[in-house]
Amino acid sequence: MADRTTVEITDSVLAESARQLLDELVSDGVASKLTAQDATLWGPEAEAEASIRLAWTALHRSSRPLIGEVESLRTELRAEGLDRVVLAGMGGSSLAPEVIASTEKVALTVLDTTDPGQVADALAGDLERTVLVVSSKSGTTVETDSHRRIFAEAFADAGIDAASRMIVVTDPGSPLAELASAEGYRRVFLADPHVGGRYSALSAFGLVPAGLAGADVARLLDQAASVAGQLSTDSPDNPALRLAAALGAAHAGGAEKVVLADTGSGITGFGDWAEQLIAESTGKQGTGLLPVVVESPDAPGFADAGADATPVAVGPATGASAVAVTGSLGAQFLLWEYAVAVVGRLLRINPFDQPDVEAAKKAARALLDNPQALTSTEEPAAVIGPVEVYGPVDKARTGTLTDVLREFVSDVADGGYLAVQAYLDRLDDASATVLRSEFARRTGKQTTFGWGPRFLHSTGQYHKGGHPNGSFLQITGSNEEDVPVPGRPYTLGTLQLAQALGDGQVLAGTGRPVLRLHLTDRAAGLADVVRAVQELSP
């Protein structure tokens, strides 16, 4: 039976403005052309890239052989007592498997961080029962390579053959594939190189880690297959075309932000995956859709979304939603991939490149190559208890932390947004997430929250390439203990700071306002920051 997958445009004004776009998409045969992997859909400038990035439209069929391969390996591992799966991956290599595992309620430890405390906690797990999935499309991801080195040393120190615990997911011919072969790693899964990272949920990058953790990947592919026929049909009932038309029409009307709230979808953390897909695909050339993931349909930013934002329910429609998208996880993966690719056509951009992502990586590498630049950064504008303030904020010299934040948020552009970026431990410092709703409630501005450096592989593209109206609050913290990276001249703490400062430099260089708060005592400093935000006038 076909999966019950729907897109309902509940806002009558938006539905009317979307109708013309929907008719154009149907008459142009966009859905069938996309299914046929027609690389001309986004214009001549995008054609070369698109021609090697469209195999995701068939993954619900082409990924079928992975079902037996993953199950066979899982059975083999469990027979040896290896039932703890740790995933080292960033962006497209971690977001989908985390959503799959969370939704299916199977245990998967995800390392998409350079925070020493979070990595140390993962290392403190039972190594005797652990396998590490090292997942990187390029095979050169610095965070993932650092995790691989750290775990390899830990396995060796515990008297465990590290190669026997390493499972690799990468593209053919990547440096990681070559290393795995040379080192004799236990298993290498080579993904389809014609699938981009953010469109890889139904590829080896999504299925291998989740499947090894115990998720039913066959059911996931069945869910996607059940909706594939709808998505490839040139019809106004095609849910992907309906979603694309709604988002495109909203953007044309000034709603450049998409606020995502789960309304009972049965999916855990879907917004975190959709966030990368939307931001990296559309946020470039000064345009795009900014995804804003909120805590609930009652959260600030959704229930009170202004003219600059479209509230989208993942699940049944609510009173506040303008659009509602329903369907199982596998169906939603494929639906949103189709829809966002089509939005790229409507915005006249290439949805498959990420031209501004590399800038922050280069800045971080430059800092790592010159450690003195990290230790001789500018003096703080002020030290307010356990919080050091860095940035061009006049109040920092004489005022309270609340004064500093009040001055900073007062400069957020009309129709702009505030991005809170926490380079902290997303487990131990989870209370930082409250800052999103607190800022949104008190400023009336759309506010995003991202864990660094994970957001650099997600919304980082939009921050630098999308609409230039963001203001950025970085939060960094001192580390009680650091973790050396074997074979590299830096620690995780050094890498984490270099990533924050590097991205801050690039943002500031494009004229974006950046304020950094450094917590010399994480718990006390975070409490002070939350309290200061709560003292802002709503």
Side-chain angles (χ1 to χ4, degrees):
M1 186 171 65
D3 188 273
R4 178 63 176 164
T5 304
T6 64
V7 170
E8 182 182 2
I9 307 174
T10 54
D11 182 291
S12 59
V13 175
L14 179 59
E16 183 61 32
S17 60
R19 185 170 291 115
Q20 181 179 348
L21 288 180
L22 182 58
D23 290 343
E24 290 174 4
L25 292 172
V26 171
S27 64
D28 290 345
V30 170
S32 58
K33 289 177 181 177
L34 180 51
T35 303
Q37 301 180 19
D38 184 342
T40 67
L41 284 169
W42 300 273
E45 291 186 5
E47 188 170 346
E49 179 80 19
S51 68
I52 57 170
R53 288 289 178 262
L54 291 173
W56 55 268
T57 61
L59 284 174
H60 54 284
R61 295 191 303 271
S62 61
S63 288
R64 291 280 166 182
L66 284 171
I67 298 171
E69 295 172 25
V70 171
E71 183 56 34
S72 176
L73 178 57
R74 181 170 184 265
T75 300
E76 180 183 303
L77 293 172
R78 292 179 72 84
E80 297 176 24
L82 303 177
D83 59 357
R84 178 176 181 254
V85 181
V86 178
L87 169 61
M90 303 297 297
S93 296
S94 63
L95 293 168
E98 184 167 47
V99 172
I100 298 168
S102 298
T103 299
E104 296 232 353
K105 297 179 172 55
V106 297
L108 177 66
T109 300
V110 177
L111 284 182
D112 55 0
T113 181
T114 46
D115 187 82
Q118 192 173 333
V119 175
D121 285 346
L123 278 174
D126 189 350
L127 290 180
E128 293 292 336
R129 299 169 36 237
T130 299
V131 292
L132 182 73
V133 180
V134 185
S135 186
S136 168
K137 180 176 174 63
S138 68
T140 60
T141 309
V142 64
E143 299 95 335
T144 304
D145 181 64
S146 298
H147 300 149
R148 180 192 63 80
R149 291 170 178 271
I150 290 166
F151 267 79
E153 183 176 81
F155 283 134
D157 289 348
I160 298 169
D161 175 28
S164 71
R165 302 298 184 87
M166 297 287 188
I167 297 163
V168 165
V169 185
T170 191
D171 274 6
S174 76
L176 179 57
E178 295 173 359
L179 174 70
S181 176
E183 295 290 327
Y185 284 177
R186 182 161 192 152
R187 183 65 189 270
V188 178
F189 290 88
L190 297 178
D192 190 330
H194 292 166
V195 176
R198 57 188 174 272
Y199 291 82
S200 66
L202 299 173
S203 77
F205 288 106
L207 302 184
V208 170
L212 291 178
D216 187 342
V217 296
R219 180 170 58 197
L220 194 75
L221 292 176
D222 288 344
Q223 292 169 349
S226 72
V227 77
Q230 288 178 265
L231 302 181
S232 63
T233 302
D234 296 313
S235 162
D237 295 325
N238 181 327
L241 296 185
R242 289 176 60 81
L243 179 56
L247 297 179
H251 184 274
E256 64 199 43
K257 305 171 185 73
V258 179
V259 189
L260 299 167
D262 190 281
T263 58
S265 68
I267 301 171
T268 303
F270 184 81
D272 293 336
W273 172 82
E275 188 176 53
Q276 181 196 24
L277 177 70
I278 298 167
E280 272 199 348
S281 297
T282 71
K284 57 201 71 171
Q285 299 178 26
T287 191
L289 294 167
L290 175 70
V292 181
V293 180
V294 302
E295 303 77 17
S296 74
D298 297 321
F302 190 89
D304 56 351
D308 63 335
T310 305
V312 176
V314 181
T318 69
S321 61
V323 181
V325 186
T326 64
S328 59
L329 178 55
Q332 292 251 28
F333 277 150
L334 194 57
L335 185 160
W336 281 86
E337 287 168 350
Y338 263 82
V340 170
V342 174
V343 168
R345 174 182 169 90
L346 296 177
L347 297 184
R348 294 179 171 79
I349 49 91
N350 176 3
F352 305 113
D353 66 352
Q354 47 280 334
D356 301 293
V357 166
E358 192 62 27
K361 295 180 182 178
K362 288 181 179 178
R365 282 196 294 266
L367 289 167
L368 287 174
D369 291 341
N370 181 19
Q372 188 175 1
L374 281 172
T375 58
S376 61
T377 54
E378 79 273 22
E379 290 296 312
V383 177
I384 305 173
V387 180
E388 296 176 347
V389 180
Y390 295 87
V393 183
D394 293 336
K395 291 287 186 183
R397 292 168 178 79
T398 58
T400 66
L401 194 54
T402 301
D403 293 330
V404 170
L405 292 175
R406 183 178 293 113
E407 180 179 343
F408 179 67
V409 300
S410 69
D411 290 334
V412 178
D414 290 340
Y417 67 96
L418 174 63
V420 181
Q421 304 169 337
Y423 289 82
L424 301 170
D425 184 328
R426 71 179 174 114
L427 301 179
D428 288 351
D429 300 321
S431 62
T433 58
V434 74
L435 292 172
R436 195 218 68 81
S437 60
E438 294 293 344
F439 270 116
R441 181 176 292 111
R442 285 162 174 77
T443 66
K445 303 290 186 181
Q446 288 294 341
T447 304
T448 66
F449 181 92
W451 292 106
R454 126 183 185 142
F455 76 83
L456 293 175
H457 300 257
S458 179
T459 51
Q461 165 62 41
Y462 184 99
H463 294 160
K464 293 172 278 289
H467 290 277
N469 55 11
S471 293
F472 301 89
L473 175 65
Q474 294 186 325
I475 303 176
T476 56
S478 298
N479 297 299
E480 292 184 7
E481 296 183 15
D482 210 342
V483 177
V485 180
R488 290 289 185 258
Y490 50 78
T491 65
L492 284 181
T494 304
L495 175 57
Q496 184 182 43
L497 182 60
Q499 291 174 312
L501 296 182
D503 192 50
Q505 289 175 3
V506 174
L507 289 168
T510 62
R512 270 73 161 176
V514 180
L515 173 69
R516 181 165 71 94
L517 304 179
H518 183 76
L519 315 178
T520 54
D521 178 313
R522 288 198 184 193
L526 199 50
D528 282 0
V529 173
V530 171
R531 191 158 41 244
V533 176
Q534 291 172 336
E535 290 174 357
L536 295 174
S537 300

